[in-house]
Amino acid sequence: MAGMYPPTSSQPPAQASTNYREAFQLYDKRGKGRVVRENLGNLLRACGQNPTLAEIADLERNVGTDFDFETFSKILNRPGGFREPMDIDDYTKAFRLFDKENTGFIGRGQVKYVLMNMGEKMSESEVEDLFRAADVHNDEVNYNDLVTTIWNN
């Protein structure tokens, strides 16, 4: 099945297709050749894709309560399905834009605003949990530590 693997992959198409079918079968909990909608995002990630939560929600609306391998193959091969995930350095560079004095720290309020309002929005409780795990002093966040914490979780 040509096209079933990322264009940058060195994996031959037959091997990629076999791996996708095996991943699908792992999520087919009832053994009926169908996977429940709620597992779509995890299954896509298991196959090397990096969908956003919004993309997953959109795809889930179109598959019904569950889906078969043929439907999954169409989803897997959708245009833009295989985007390269950002590198940890890309995240650090993004936060560095807010570090006007090049101290390695940015304001807690700025970080909270960015995490709750841009990209994949986080809830206030998720942001507060993140702050507890990261290096926060005097309402300043060490963004290198924050990115590492996010990356590791």
Side-chain angles (χ1 to χ4, degrees), residues 46-130:
C47 292
Q49 293 198 359
N50 188 30
T52 65
L53 295 177
E55 287 172 319
I56 293 168
D58 187 47
L59 291 168
E60 285 176 344
R61 278 192 288 278
N62 296 317
V63 297
T65 57
D66 59 11
F67 54 93
D68 60 12
F69 185 75
E70 182 180 341
T71 301
F72 176 65
S73 294
K74 290 175 185 172
I75 293 169
L76 197 64
N77 289 312
R78 72 196 184 287
F82 282 101
R83 285 187 326 276
E84 290 296 318
M86 285 179 61
D87 183 84
I88 192 168
D89 292 331
D90 294 330
Y91 288 103
T92 303
K93 288 176 189 172
F95 279 110
R96 192 175 296 129
L97 293 173
F98 295 97
D99 182 10
K100 303 290 185 212
E101 298 172 20
N102 204 26
T103 62
F105 288 85
I106 54 178
R108 179 185 178 115
Q110 283 181 302
V111 174
K112 187 173 184 177
Y113 178 81
V114 168
L115 295 177
M116 291 179 65
N117 294 291
M118 300 177 133
E120 286 201 47
K121 296 166 183 64
M122 296 176 72
S123 69
E124 186 166 2
S125 65
E126 290 172 322
V127 172
E128 291 303 323
D129 287 345
L130 194 56

